[in-house]
Amino acid sequence: MAALPTAAADMTTVGLPVLEVEDLRTVFLTDSGAVRAVDGVSFTVGPGETLGIVGESGSGKTVTALSLMRLLEEPARIVGGSIRFQGRDVLAMRPDELRDWRGNHAAMVFQDPMTGLNPVLRILPQVSEHIVSHGRQTGAAARHYAIDMLRRMGVASPERAAVSFPHQYSGGMRQRVMLAIGVANDPVLLIADEPTTALDVTIQAQILDLLCRLNREFGTAIVLISHDLGVIGAVCRRIAVMYAGEIVEEAATTSVLNDPRHPYSWALVNAVPRLDTPAGVRMTSIEGSPPDALSSPPGCRFGPRCPFKVAKCDAEHPPLIEVAPGRRARCWVTADGRHLPQPMAATAGTFRAPAAGARPLLETQGLVKHFPLRKTSFFGRQQIMHAVNGVDLTLLSGESLGVVGESGCGKSTLARLVTRLYEPTAGSLRFAGQEIGHATPAEMRPLRPRLQMVFQDPYASLNPRMSVADILAEPLLAHGRVANRNQARVRVIELMSMVGLKPEWATRFPHEFSGGQRQRVSIARALALEPELVVADEPVSALDVNVRAQVLNLMLDLRARLNLSYLFIAHDLAVVRSFCDRVAVMYLGRFVEEGPAVDVLSHSLHPYTVALISAVPEPGRERVVLAGEPPSALVLPSGCAFRGRCPVGRDACAEPPPLAEVASGRRVACHFPGSFTAGGRSRWRCTP
Amino acid sequence: MNVTVAAAPPVLVRPSRWRRRLRRYGPAFAGAAVVMVWMLVALTAPWTTPWPPNAVDVTRRLLAPSTMHWLGTDELGRDVFSRVLYGARLSLLAGFSVVLLGAAIGTTVGIVAAWARGFWDEALMRLTDLVLCFPPIILALAIAAALGIGTTNTILAMLVVWWPKFARLGRALALVQRSQEYVEAATVLGLKPTRILARHILPNTLGPLAVLITLDLGNAILTFAGLSFLGLGVVPPTAEWGSMVAEGRELVEQWWVATFPGLAILSVVVGFNFCGDGVRDWLDPKAHTR
């Protein structure tokens, strides 16, 4: 392997900070005025340092990243401040200097690995192109180096990249390729904008690991942008919290996580359920939404939403104040070095266990769904997607069951089978004692009001051409629950106030609402017919953490008030744990472990559950980085489906394990339950 | 180096909204204006024409354009200007009725096919393919000839060849809508299929359909004029642009007889095309970010 040029080979740059940003201001020119997306951001990144930028969507973190690389186009414009890269003024660079600088000294990795690669070019040339175009190496040498780079990024059999196209790679593999391209020229600085947001949690763990290694082994400075404090905590030593275009707090990551000094960071830290939060606890959420970027309030921008507000906050805009050695916060409350109080230990135990003799509301036995795929050629073999491969579940009335798993494990298909959007290929499906597996649409119609669904994407689940009042009145009128439009209006107002929407918004259309508000409309629509069971397919995964906390709290309240049962589909273990009585872990279309939520997540018996939990980036958590990716659902593996990735797989695993009851109420599909624990392995913290 | 940034005070104003719109939609506005003028002409023809369109006067045949006859007269001494104005009525009527009826039939077929899937999807779409595999003009010609000369028959013949493209588009759009979560939500709410189709799927397919309809109007007018040129469209002596061009096609000296109806066809077709382009750009979600 060729010796890598060291990051800081140029002696003149040693010791200089890699990146100095001073009072950066970026605006978007719109018809209604200049929107200040980044408004006076300053920070410094030293050689080999890791800085995380965190904030909700719209806080300006991505625009900051794009400004750093000068990748913005009209109508966005940098109107003030300076960016210095190893002493060079980035804002004064000519286009040719910029071209040489980008990708050579500073590189960027984007969020979506699906669109980051050119679909008509093979993988390898896309990597070596960057090496050749910056004159680092030529031809064959560059290709060898690119293969080497791909291998270091953990791309399986990198030689294959010479003949493969991007669509043949999975999302995780593509993000590795993007990283290989990013670091191919051994840049001093890598900017990663939400690099793992589109990936599954076990793949995310692999990529975060890779970022840590880059920083440790090559001394690459990293600016990591994410909405997820856990992700930042896993990689970055320092953190900058952004709100409404400003940095509101900057400090060491551990200090922010344990003792946030700005109320907004406080809200972010406490809005996220952690795996050790007691079940049934309401999350801390702050009301309101970020200020209008066109006319920010004269005082503190967080003031209107702040639970700790004092009189001064409305009048004067706080500067970044040094509140403790090495940490700054933009807040009058903590300016004198005060701590913010811990959130109140909220009402735990709102769950009441279902009555002993509760009847099963939903029962499936050996539920199977296979999708025949379109043949690729006339003589081609008919391929079948094995989405769900035999699910047995029982959901008691008043209970809430969580189903977790990585993407492609069949959990969304399961939700659509249960609500009979799909017809099962085999198996039985009973709702309230009635077999509905093959019921016709007309037979389903009278049952529909009792069985409702909340969808994942708040932008796609509401008809854009209907007002909220029409959306909510439609099911009432269709099922004859109300006699006329006037009665419907009364009920619509009732529903809207139940989910925390203002009644005067009834005439608005979906595009006038934020994501969280749309999800509230979605929930109100599902509740309009007073269902017994609500199937929720990832209802909060598209929302910001604070909004997520609001929606989860709402769903918890409604459950208690309306005696609902939930089938809650999610990929986020902490959310499931705080929300559900029981949880089932799904892998390749089957349940591998099922039981009371607290037991399953704190004393997991199946190796996959152990790995899944340990992959959640929470600082200090013991972790196992699971190698490989879930197998394809086109050809089911023989024996235990998890065998290929299992750290404790043995010969006996060639026999498929049944989902057997190992303790009262706990079922595991493993020959050696409990034989694998995460104890004694490395922890989530990359820099010492 | 900050000096360079500070030296030029940043201009925080975009070019005015109207200027940007004009640059973007200028041709569309012009096209719409032309179409509007023709519509107005068609509506008011009985009151604005200087001469009755079918008044034959052989003593005044083939007169060159003059103050009396602005666009001259044809072989039978009829005023070309009056006939061009009257021709607009028939052309626009034929264009609108063919395209709107064709769109209504085709979209219904397409949406039903997409919703039903399976046998009915196959059956309806193969029928669509069957019609599409004939050259449209030739097929319309054959049908119109079989039905006999006349405006209604020609419109019927054109309808037969016109609906399939809307069926294709309607089906593609409905398939996209079908997999949208709000359609799934409507199913879970237990709404009847007719209601889902009418309230959820159809309204969300109207945008792209509107584009095709506008772009197609010019096309339909051109085809109708073409059929008339071949002697199928209208019964003489009805004033119609296609047949007027046909009447003047051998008169080289008297160029005005064929030229002016030809220009009328050109202007209305180009007008509709510019209009359609504008509607397409306007409905393009990416257009609004610029």
Side-chain angles (χ1 to χ4, degrees):
Chain A
M1 190 201 84
L4 286 164
T6 47
D10 188 354
M11 290 311 288
T12 56
T13 60
V14 170
L16 268 179
V18 173
L19 193 66
E20 284 172 287
V21 180
E22 274 237 8
D23 198 33
L24 180 68
R25 286 167 196 276
T26 305
V27 298
F28 281 84
L29 305 176
T30 65
D31 290 332
S32 32
V35 172
R36 289 178 291 180
V38 179
D39 201 8
V41 163
S42 311
F43 58 83
T44 308
V45 182
E49 268 196 346
T50 45
L51 174 75
I53 299 180
V54 73
E56 13 182 23
S57 38
S59 61
K61 50 192 198 308
T62 295
V63 182
T64 306
L66 293 173
S67 307
L68 293 183
M69 296 294 283
R70 283 194 53 195
L71 285 171
L72 289 168
E73 278 178 15
E74 291 286 315
R77 198 179 289 175
I78 299 175
V79 292
S82 72
I83 302 170
R84 285 171 177 281
F85 179 85
Q86 295 188 329
R88 289 170 73 190
D89 188 345
V90 174
L91 294 181
M93 283 188 193
R94 291 191 312 271
D96 58 317
E97 289 175 324
L98 261 182
R99 259 197 312 279
D100 177 60
W101 171 71
R102 286 186 198 138
N104 204 2
H105 301 288
M108 187 155 176
V109 178
F110 296 93
Q111 173 173 357
D112 190 357
M114 296 301 162
T115 53
L117 292 168
N118 186 338
V120 299
L121 290 181
R122 290 173 212 274
I123 302 264
L124 189 61
Q126 299 196 44
V127 183
S128 56
E129 180 186 27
H130 288 257
I131 305 167
V132 175
S133 69
H134 285 288
R136 293 276 175 139
Q137 286 170 52
T138 50
R143 268 196 301 283
H144 277 121
Y145 187 69
I147 289 179
D148 204 63
M149 236 32 237
L150 288 169
R151 184 176 296 118
R152 283 158 165 259
M153 294 301 126
V155 173
S157 54
E159 294 80 10
R160 210 166 53 98
V163 293
S164 303
F165 288 97
H167 72 268
Q168 295 166 310
Y169 276 37
S170 67
M173 278 299 159
R174 283 190 225 185
Q175 198 59 293
R176 287 164 195 272
V177 174
M178 295 303 294
L179 273 172
I181 291 174
V183 299
N185 289 326
D186 196 27
V188 187
L189 172 70
L190 180 70
I191 299 172
D193 183 10
E194 304 259 11
T196 60
T197 305
L199 305 176
D200 271 317
V201 61
T202 59
I203 309 299
Q204 163 171 293
Q206 296 169 5
I207 298 288
L208 292 181
D209 221 36
L210 207 57
L211 283 174
C212 287
R213 263 203 4 242
L214 273 174
N215 176 252
R216 216 169 34 228
E217 290 174 15
F218 302 129
T220 315
I222 293 177
V223 175
L224 177 64
I225 289 160
S226 178
H227 67 279
D228 188 337
L229 276 169
V231 165
I232 301 244
V235 176
C236 301
R237 227 180 312 182
R238 270 190 325 127
I239 191 169
V241 182
M242 279 193 80
Y243 183 77
E246 297 179 321
I247 290 184
V248 293
E249 180 164 5
E250 194 199 340
T253 308
T254 40
S255 341
V256 175
L257 290 178
N258 299 325
D259 174 25
R261 293 294 177 84
H262 190 280
Y264 179 65
S265 336
W266 177 89
L268 274 188
V269 170
N270 291 305
V272 189
R274 291 173 57 131
L275 282 170
D276 47 12
T277 351
V281 163
R282 290 173 55 93
M283 261 67 70
T284 312
S285 66
I286 40 171
E287 290 306 317
S289 48
D292 184 0
L294 280 170
S295 56
S296 15
C300 173
R301 293 197 185 157
F302 189 63
R305 301 171 76 188
C306 183
F308 307 108
K309 195 162 76 160
V310 292
K312 198 176 182 186
C313 301
D314 280 335
E316 237 178 297
H317 185 76
L320 262 180
I321 307 164
E322 179 122 9
V323 291
R327 53 184 311 186
R328 299 185 295 165
R330 197 182 280 278
C331 180
W332 293 123
V333 181
T334 59
D336 52 1
R338 211 184 311 179
H339 301 270
L340 291 173
Q342 287 291 313
M344 277 180 284
T347 50
T350 44
F351 288 166
R352 68 264 164 286
R359 67 202 161 87
L361 189 58
L362 181 74
E363 264 184 300
T364 72
Q365 242 163 34
L367 201 61
V368 172
K369 180 67 186 174
H370 291 172
F371 294 101
L373 296 186
R374 198 174 269 269
K375 283 187 189 178
T376 44
S377 75
F378 188 75
F379 296 106
R381 219 160 45 85
Q382 174 76 61
Q383 288 203 307
I384 290 170
M385 168 83 113
H386 303 79
V388 173
N389 305 303
V391 164
D392 306 339
L393 74 80
T394 310
L395 179 68
L396 299 180
S397 180
E399 194 182 32
S400 112
L401 170 68
V403 176
V404 287
E406 297 179 89
S407 54
C409 74
K411 53 191 195 303
S412 283
T413 308
L414 180 65
R416 282 167 171 74
L417 280 173
V418 165
T419 48
R420 274 307 313 280
L421 283 168
Y422 298 156
E423 188 171 356
T425 311
S428 86
L429 169 63
R430 298 171 74 80
F431 176 74
Q434 199 174 337
E435 174 68 42
I436 58 168
H438 302 282
T440 62
E443 286 165 10
M444 278 307 293
R445 215 161 286 137
L447 282 177
R448 290 283 186 204
R450 302 168 64 185
L451 171 62
Q452 281 302 309
M453 184 158 174
V454 176
F455 292 84
Q456 170 174 7
D457 185 352
Y459 293 89
S461 60
L462 302 174
N463 186 341
R465 288 177 192 270
M466 284 169 83
S467 70
V468 169
D470 286 343
I471 288 173
L472 295 180
E474 187 173 41
L476 298 169
L477 292 165
H479 285 278
R481 292 296 171 89
V482 289
N484 53 45
R485 295 219 151 254
N486 281 333
Q487 279 184 29
R489 199 169 303 138
V490 176
R491 178 85 177 111
V492 164
I493 301 293
E494 232 173 82
L495 283 167
M496 289 185 69
S497 53
M498 184 166 77
V499 297
L501 292 172
K502 290 186 188 153
E504 60 262 33
W505 292 346
T507 49
R508 290 198 188 176
F509 284 84
H511 68 89
E512 298 173 74
F513 290 101
S514 68
Q517 288 168 336
R518 284 163 184 240
Q519 207 59 319
R520 284 172 196 261
V521 176
S522 228
I523 291 171
R525 178 179 59 188
L527 296 177
L529 297 170
E530 295 163 334
E532 291 161 61
L533 172 63
V534 173
V535 177
D537 183 12
E538 305 249 17
V540 293
S541 56
L543 306 175
D544 272 320
V545 282
N546 181 46
V547 182
R548 179 180 299 180
Q550 290 172 9
V551 171
L552 281 176
N553 286 342
L554 171 70
M555 289 179 74
L556 272 174
D557 287 347
L558 292 172
R559 181 187 170 196
R561 271 172 57 195
L562 306 176
N563 193 26
L564 297 174
S565 310
Y566 282 115
L567 181 65
F568 190 92
I569 313 277
H571 67 274
D572 188 333
L573 289 152
V575 166
V576 167
R577 145 121 198 209
S578 67
F579 193 81
C580 298
D581 310 320
R582 282 195 306 134
V583 57
V585 180
M586 210 167 169
Y587 190 75
L588 212 62
R590 283 202 187 90
F591 284 178
V592 294
E593 180 161 5
E594 199 220 323
V598 182
D599 292 357
V600 169
L601 296 182
S602 46
H603 309 286
S604 322
L605 296 177
H606 197 283
Y608 178 63
T609 317
V610 175
L612 201 59
I613 291 170
S614 75
V616 178
E618 260 180 32
R621 165 171 303 284
E622 291 153 350
R623 75 203 176 107
V624 192
V625 172
L626 201 57
E629 299 187 6
S632 153
L634 293 179
V635 187
L636 285 185
S638 67
C640 176
F642 188 56
R643 192 156 53 121
R645 297 171 84 191
C646 187
V648 292
R650 295 168 220 184
D651 293 345
C653 299
E655 275 296 302
L659 188 63
E661 183 140 357
V662 289
S664 123
R666 291 202 66 179
R667 297 188 297 165
V668 181
C670 181
H671 292 301
F672 312 101
S675 64
F676 180 65
T677 50
R681 266 153 256 267
S682 65
R683 286 164 184 270
W684 268 118
R685 173 128 303 276
C686 109
T687 36
Chain B
M1 294 313 279
N2 280 339
V3 187
T4 44
V5 177
V11 187
L12 295 186
V13 196
R14 305 181 75 180
S16 89
R17 185 188 295 211
W18 279 105
R19 191 169 302 166
R20 268 183 295 129
R21 282 207 183 150
L22 198 64
R23 200 184 311 149
R24 190 175 171 76
Y25 296 118
F29 285 143
V34 169
V35 169
M36 289 293 183
V37 166
W38 276 119
M39 282 188 190
L40 201 69
V41 162
L43 285 175
T44 59
W47 302 279
T48 48
T49 47
W51 302 84
N54 297 326
V56 178
D57 184 352
V58 274
T59 57
R60 296 170 161 278
R61 60 194 295 263
L62 296 175
L63 294 179
S66 62
T67 46
M68 276 278 274
H69 297 282
W70 291 357
L71 303 181
T73 57
D74 65 5
E75 274 187 307
L76 297 174
R78 295 172 297 191
D79 180 46
V80 173
F81 179 64
S82 305
R83 285 177 70 76
V84 166
L85 295 197
Y86 262 90
R89 307 190 107 191
L90 209 52
S91 288
L92 288 175
L93 178 76
F96 274 105
S97 48
V98 165
V99 172
L100 291 182
L101 285 174
I105 298 168
T107 310
T108 311
V109 167
I111 289 182
V112 167
W115 184 259
R117 295 209 272 210
F119 173 77
W120 282 106
D121 186 16
E122 284 295 319
L124 291 171
M125 281 303 117
R126 292 304 77 78
L127 178 68
T128 311
D129 289 346
L130 192 72
V131 179
L132 278 174
C133 63
F134 291 101
I137 297 252
I138 311 260
L139 184 59
L141 207 62
I143 297 171
L147 289 173
I149 296 169
T151 314
T152 323
N153 286 348
T154 312
I155 289 175
L156 280 178
M158 283 176 67
L159 265 181
V160 172
V161 298
W162 224 262
W163 65 269
K165 59 172 111 170
F166 286 98
R168 280 246 175 115
L169 182 70
R171 176 171 176 273
L173 293 171
L175 278 180
V176 173
Q177 294 304 318
R178 226 196 120 103
S179 57
Q180 290 284 328
E181 282 187 349
Y182 58 79
V183 175
E184 290 191 323
T187 314
V188 172
L189 287 170
L191 304 184
K192 296 207 172 72
T194 43
R195 194 180 170 84
I196 297 179
L197 288 175
R199 290 279 283 159
H200 294 269
I201 293 187
L202 184 65
N204 286 294
T205 56
L206 288 181
L209 276 173
V211 176
L212 183 60
I213 286 174
T214 335
L215 281 173
D216 226 26
L217 277 166
N219 204 354
I221 288 170
L222 193 61
T223 308
F224 185 74
L227 290 175
S228 303
F229 179 83
L230 297 172
L232 287 167
V234 291
V235 188
T238 320
E240 203 284 333
W241 295 340
S243 55
M244 287 167 74
V245 174
E247 283 161 14
R249 73 180 185 277
E250 279 169 11
L251 303 168
V252 185
E253 291 277 295
Q254 293 81 16
W255 51 272
W256 57 87
V257 179
T259 304
F260 291 113
L263 283 176
I265 297 174
L266 177 79
S267 68
V268 79
V269 170
V270 169
F272 272 120
N273 280 352
F274 280 171
C275 241
D277 285 345
V279 174
R280 187 188 55 206
D281 289 351
W282 179 54
L283 287 173
D284 181 2
K286 280 179 239 151
H288 291 283
T289 59
R290 256 174 265 151

